Amino acid sequence: MRKNILNNVFDTPYNTAPFSKINDHDFLPAFKTAIKNAKAEIDAITKNSEAPNFKNTIEALDFSGEQLDRISSLFFNLNSAETNDDIQKIAQEVSPLLSEFSNDITLNEALFKRVKTVYNKKDELDLNVEQQTLLEKKYKSFSRNGANLSEDKKEKLRDIDKQLSQLKLKFGENVLAETNTFEMLIANEDDLSGLPEGAKEAAAQLAESKNKKGWLFTLDYPSYIPFMTYADNRKLRKKLAIASGARAFKNDALDNQNNVLKITRLRHERANLLGYKTHAHFVLEERMAETPEKVEQFLNELLEKAKPAAKSEFENLEDFAKKLDAIDKLQKWDSSYYSEKLKQKLFDLDDEKLKPYFKLENVINGAFTVANKLFDLHFEEIHNIDTYHDDVLTYKVTDNKGDLVSIFYADFFPRKGKRNGAWMTSFKPQSIKDGVNERPHISIVCNFTKPTKSKPSLLTFNEVTTLFHEFGHALHGMLANTTYPSLSGTSVYWDFVELPSQILENWCYQKEALELFAKHYETGEVIPMDLIEKIKASATFHEGMQTLRQISFGLLDMSWHASDSPETIKDVKAHETKAFKNTHLFPDVAENCMSTSFSHIFQGGYSSGYYSYKWAEVLDADAFEYFEEAGIFNKTVATKFKDHVLSKGGTESPMTLYKRFRGKAPEPEALLRRAGLLK
């Protein structure tokens, strides 16, 4: 009988995942075995005859279930980056099992009793700061998840969690299926007017790969964005935009309206069961923002500053479009197209002029060089590590002494089994156990323009900032240096997690950094100074509209999760329209609905947390001003950022860590200054 490789310690270089040896059908039995083993570890803690103490209860609990966590990270990362029908079916089977296991822990009375005993003695224990944080976190993980409930309510909670785990998966599967299903085949080359040669070549190559004649466009970003930005054919832009906005909103088998309503109601019911007014109150108790009221105040204060600028920008754009093409009214499918034309006119800056300087390999090396200059990291591409797809690149990351810091995976191109967008994730966490510092395995996943027969992968400037953003998250994971896995790396408050990613984007606008990697792919010429100046000058172009857009998503999120009566919401589209009332600029499109494909909040971890992007921008703008004052590669400032933010994970309060790095609390004005919304 074939041995299940997932149930063993991986006999691989650096203990990396042996992807090529794993069959999809290995996962379900492996999960069942790992859950059984994890339960045995929990039983060992609860049946320990010694009196409960920090080591035999809190620490033992944090290090329990390592095998299960490892298998989960491998499986769910594959489900995002390289899924198929079998994996999706297994996910539907496994998610309720994991949800039940999670409930088995938080609703385990004997275990909670031991945790509570240690927690009640916390003032007598000689614990360091990280241990104090862990104790607090473990106690709260029980109290916030039903440990104090009566038996019948515990059963109700189990049922809700089981339903939610399946609904969230179904939501994501529907969005992916909708994204993969839509294709726009163009037979007449005249309909490609305005499109750059690279986009045309990629579309022809995609059509050829599917045995079709002509040019094929899809809802994947590298196909969708160039068409919406450059295609002169307004009818086709409209067709593509409506297809994207109508995902999972067609009253068919892939429709998500019911899933949205069910998820929202179940989250609310769960929060009420646990004694919270709304899901947002439950979530925000463990965030820097603390309450829904503070989030809404934060978003509305930003709205007040951004709305006049956004309206003015919109009116200017509409006037420009009317003068240029005599269009009657600016629609959503006109936004990127005319914005690009106006940007070219104002700054003489065209993404097509920039792309030759941003060959993907050069940008990757640029991110590595920036990390080296700031944090003394060295990246070496290695080929002895297994990957889940041929596109995935692998690197060994070391420090100045040659010691291993991390294994780093990078997966850059779209394909059928990969969801849209970009994200950072981990295959193995960092922790220190028995004196051994287990180094993390970190991955970034993106959807960038693929190389064609005649050109390498040339990134738009937006893709360059996306790569740096995800690489910032990756550095947070790679440089983790904590004892406990649950406090390591990006295991921080959700409204703090975007600081390392967003701050790194700033280097993309700096001459000193750009000259390290922005080199013409054919001539090797460094990006000309005038282009750098134009990049900087255009950095705040339509910042009001961009800010308004992000605020609108944050307010939509809060409208779903801070409502104390979601059961009264019957119509997803009507609810969304009401939520967007103060932020909309473009006419509404009846066929479109954002909520039904808003994966961040209905599948990912951003429910009641979408505001975090703007919140973290306040931190990043303030933090980067510190770098600018000292020099963007200043070692002292970089070391402080590494020591007090990147390596500390969630071991202390984020504001404490931030003040230790910055010397003071962040100033919101820094963001408004950078955005050009404050003169």
Side-chain angles (χ1 to χ4, degrees):
M1 188 178 163
R2 183 178 174 278
K3 212 171 182 184
N4 189 329
I5 191 164
L6 283 163
N7 288 332
N8 308 311
V9 175
F10 301 145
D11 181 20
T12 54
Y14 313 106
N15 188 21
T16 48
F19 289 109
S20 67
K21 296 186 178 73
I22 301 170
N23 291 322
D24 292 345
H25 62 251
D26 289 335
F27 277 110
L28 191 58
F31 268 115
K32 288 178 177 175
T33 302
I35 288 171
K36 187 179 166 190
N37 294 344
K39 281 181 175 174
E41 290 174 51
I42 298 298
D43 285 346
I45 296 169
T46 57
K47 289 172 180 168
N48 191 333
S49 56
E50 293 176 24
N53 59 39
F54 183 84
K55 189 169 179 59
N56 70 20
T57 301
I58 308 302
E59 197 170 271
L61 182 56
D62 205 56
F63 281 110
S64 70
E66 281 181 87
Q67 181 194 38
L68 179 59
D69 291 343
R70 192 90 198 269
I71 293 169
S72 295
S73 69
L74 296 185
F75 177 76
F76 287 103
N77 284 327
L78 284 177
N79 194 35
S80 292
E82 186 60 11
T83 196
N84 57 46
D85 291 346
D86 288 341
I87 287 178
Q88 290 184 357
K89 187 169 177 288
I90 295 162
Q92 287 287 355
E93 284 186 69
V94 162
S95 291
L97 299 180
L98 292 172
S99 173
E100 192 178 341
F101 171 69
S102 175
N103 288 145
D104 283 344
I105 292 177
T106 53
L107 303 178
N108 183 321
E109 280 185 42
L111 184 59
F112 181 48
K113 196 174 175 186
R114 286 185 73 93
V115 170
K116 204 171 184 178
T117 301
V118 181
Y119 182 76
N120 288 339
K121 291 182 187 167
K122 66 178 187 286
D123 295 336
E124 304 160 31
L125 305 174
D126 184 23
L127 302 178
N128 64 32
V129 173
E130 186 176 351
Q131 290 170 328
Q132 288 170 27
T133 303
L134 185 70
L135 176 56
E136 189 79 27
K137 187 175 173 179
K138 286 297 171 204
Y139 177 74
K140 277 187 173 178
S141 74
F142 284 86
S143 63
R144 279 170 51 82
N145 286 290
N148 293 313
L149 295 178
S150 60
E151 278 311 309
D152 60 324
K153 286 184 176 176
K154 281 180 182 176
E155 280 311 305
K156 182 70 181 161
L157 187 75
R158 283 178 184 275
D159 181 52
I160 289 172
D161 286 346
K162 189 175 178 181
Q163 287 184 66
L164 278 171
S165 70
Q166 289 173 311
L167 283 166
K168 288 193 291 182
L169 270 176
K170 185 65 186 153
F171 181 97
E173 285 170 12
N174 287 352
V175 175
L176 182 64
E178 285 275 65
T179 304
N180 286 339
T181 302
F182 179 84
E183 291 181 346
M184 184 169 79
L185 185 66
I186 293 175
N188 184 351
E189 194 165 0
D190 292 346
D191 289 333
L192 304 179
S193 168
L195 275 178
E197 281 308 312
K200 286 164 73 170
E201 189 182 358
Q205 211 165 288
L206 183 61
E208 191 185 328
S209 73
K210 298 199 172 191
N211 297 317
K212 295 181 178 179
K213 283 186 178 175
W215 296 266
L216 193 60
F217 294 88
T218 69
L219 300 180
D220 286 325
Y221 289 160
S223 180
Y224 179 81
I225 299 295
F227 200 92
M228 297 308 297
T229 308
Y230 296 106
D232 295 329
N233 190 316
R234 195 180 185 209
K235 280 185 180 171
L236 291 177
R237 290 202 311 269
K238 178 180 178 180
K239 181 180 178 180
L240 202 59
I242 287 179
S244 179
R247 282 177 299 169
F249 184 61
K250 301 193 192 80
N251 294 308
D252 58 9
L254 296 174
D255 192 278
N256 268 337
Q257 291 174 84
N258 210 26
N259 291 331
V260 165
L261 295 174
K262 281 181 182 171
I263 290 168
T264 308
R265 288 166 190 168
L266 285 168
R267 282 173 173 167
H268 181 69
E269 193 181 346
R270 186 183 196 278
N272 287 172
L273 198 60
L274 293 166
Y276 294 87
K277 188 180 176 188
T278 69
H279 177 67
H281 284 87
F282 170 76
V283 169
L284 292 165
E285 185 180 70
E286 293 286 276
R287 299 286 191 267
M288 290 177 81
E290 298 172 335
T291 66
E293 292 75 23
K294 272 195 191 174
V295 170
E296 283 165 3
Q297 183 186 349
F298 168 72
L299 290 172
N300 284 315
E301 281 174 7
L302 262 185
L303 177 61
E304 200 181 317
K305 301 277 195 317
K307 195 170 180 178
K311 284 184 80 169
S312 171
E313 289 165 5
F314 179 80
E315 285 161 10
N316 287 342
L317 187 63
E318 190 164 54
D319 286 345
F320 173 73
K322 282 178 178 175
K323 281 173 191 163
L324 196 67
D325 290 330
I327 66 164
D328 54 342
K329 202 167 186 56
L330 197 69
Q331 301 286 353
K332 286 179 181 174
W333 45 87
D334 299 317
S335 178
S336 298
Y337 179 76
Y338 288 108
S339 288
E340 182 63 24
K341 285 212 171 344
L342 182 57
K343 189 167 77 171
Q344 287 178 28
K345 184 187 172 191
L346 294 176
F347 306 102
D348 186 27
L349 187 66
D350 177 359
D351 245 332
E352 288 305 302
K353 284 182 191 167
L354 292 177
K355 279 169 73 174
Y357 295 97
F358 296 124
K359 182 182 170 185
L360 174 60
E361 290 77 5
N362 292 349
V363 180
I364 298 165
N365 288 332
F368 292 167
T369 306
V370 168
N372 175 259
K373 288 171 86 73
L374 290 171
F375 310 119
D376 297 323
L377 295 178
H378 304 269
F379 292 78
E380 176 199 347
E381 188 172 0
I382 52 176
H383 303 281
N384 61 337
I385 288 179
D386 225 342
T387 60
Y388 54 85
H389 192 277
D390 290 344
D391 283 350
V392 182
L393 306 171
T394 51
Y395 301 86
K396 178 183 176 184
V397 189
T398 53
D399 60 19
N400 275 350
K401 295 179 200 159
D403 292 336
L404 182 70
V405 172
S406 173
I407 295 299
F408 176 54
Y409 298 77
D411 178 1
F412 289 120
F413 304 122
R415 53 181 175 268
K416 192 182 174 207
K418 186 198 270 193
R419 67 176 168 89
N420 251 335
W423 61 95
M424 165 267 176
T425 186
S426 146
F427 290 118
K428 176 176 174 280
Q430 179 273 332
S431 64
I432 300 170
K433 190 178 182 187
D434 302 327
V436 176
N437 194 327
E438 288 286 343
R439 297 314 301 164
H441 300 170
I442 303 297
S443 173
I444 62 172
V445 188
C446 307
N447 281 277
F448 294 151
T449 310
K450 289 184 89 157
T452 62
K453 287 167 186 168
S454 69
K455 285 191 182 76
S457 175
L458 301 176
L459 305 188
T460 64
F461 187 69
N462 189 43
E463 288 176 325
V464 174
T465 57
T466 297
L467 192 151
F468 269 70
H469 179 102
E470 299 309 331
F471 189 64
H473 280 310
L475 290 172
H476 201 182
M478 286 186 236
L479 288 167
N481 198 26
T482 63
T483 303
Y484 304 110
S486 71
L487 301 178
S488 180
T490 55
S491 300
V492 299
Y493 277 4
W494 215 258
D495 43 12
F496 192 59
V497 80
E498 294 297 333
L499 168 60
S501 56
Q502 291 182 185
I503 195 172
L504 207 70
E505 290 183 39
N506 290 283
W507 272 262
C508 300
Y509 296 91
Q510 302 299 313
K511 175 178 184 286
E512 220 181 317
L514 283 168
E515 287 180 343
L516 296 171
F517 66 91
K519 295 171 184 176
H520 198 285
Y521 79 100
E522 287 174 317
T523 65
E525 174 206 10
V526 173
I527 190 166
M529 189 62 214
D530 69 311
L531 281 181
I532 293 178
E533 289 303 329
K534 286 171 185 176
I535 288 171
K536 288 200 80 163
S538 67
T540 57
F541 177 65
H542 282 175
E543 187 64 39
M545 284 168 69
Q546 292 299 334
T547 301
L548 196 68
R549 184 171 180 266
Q550 286 295 97
I551 292 168
S552 75
F553 297 167
L555 290 171
L556 177 62
D557 173 25
M558 295 308 288
S559 78
W560 283 116
H561 295 116
S563 162
D564 56 9
S565 54
E567 69 284 349
T568 62
I569 304 168
K570 308 291 184 195
D571 185 322
V572 173
K573 171 78 175 183
H575 174 78
E576 179 174 298
T577 304
K578 190 178 171 188
F580 283 153
K581 187 170 59 115
N582 290 328
T583 56
H584 80 93
L585 295 169
F586 293 90
D588 180 56
V589 180
E591 305 96 314
N592 287 7
C593 179
M594 185 186 173
S595 298
T596 55
S597 60
F598 199 175
S599 299
H600 270 78
I601 67 168
F602 290 114
Q603 183 193 11
Y606 279 85
S607 63
S608 307
Y610 200 87
Y611 75 92
S612 304
Y613 285 105
K614 294 314 286 184
W615 185 279
E617 269 190 60
V618 169
L619 299 177
D620 111 63
D622 183 73
F624 192 66
E625 280 193 355
Y626 190 21
F627 273 99
E628 284 188 299
E629 287 158 16
I632 64 162
F633 289 115
N634 182 281
K635 255 319 192 327
T636 306
V637 177
T639 302
K640 283 176 80 175
F641 192 69
K642 176 180 166 182
D643 290 349
H644 301 305
V645 177
L646 296 177
S647 68
K648 285 283 190 267
T651 55
E652 289 186 72
S653 144
M655 194 54 85
T656 301
L657 294 173
Y658 187 84
K659 285 179 182 173
R660 208 172 285 150
F661 152 67
R662 187 67 167 100
K664 62 184 182 68
E667 291 177 6
E669 291 74 22
L671 171 62
L672 299 170
R673 276 194 294 274
R674 186 177 70 186
L677 300 175
L678 190 72
K679 302 299 178 196

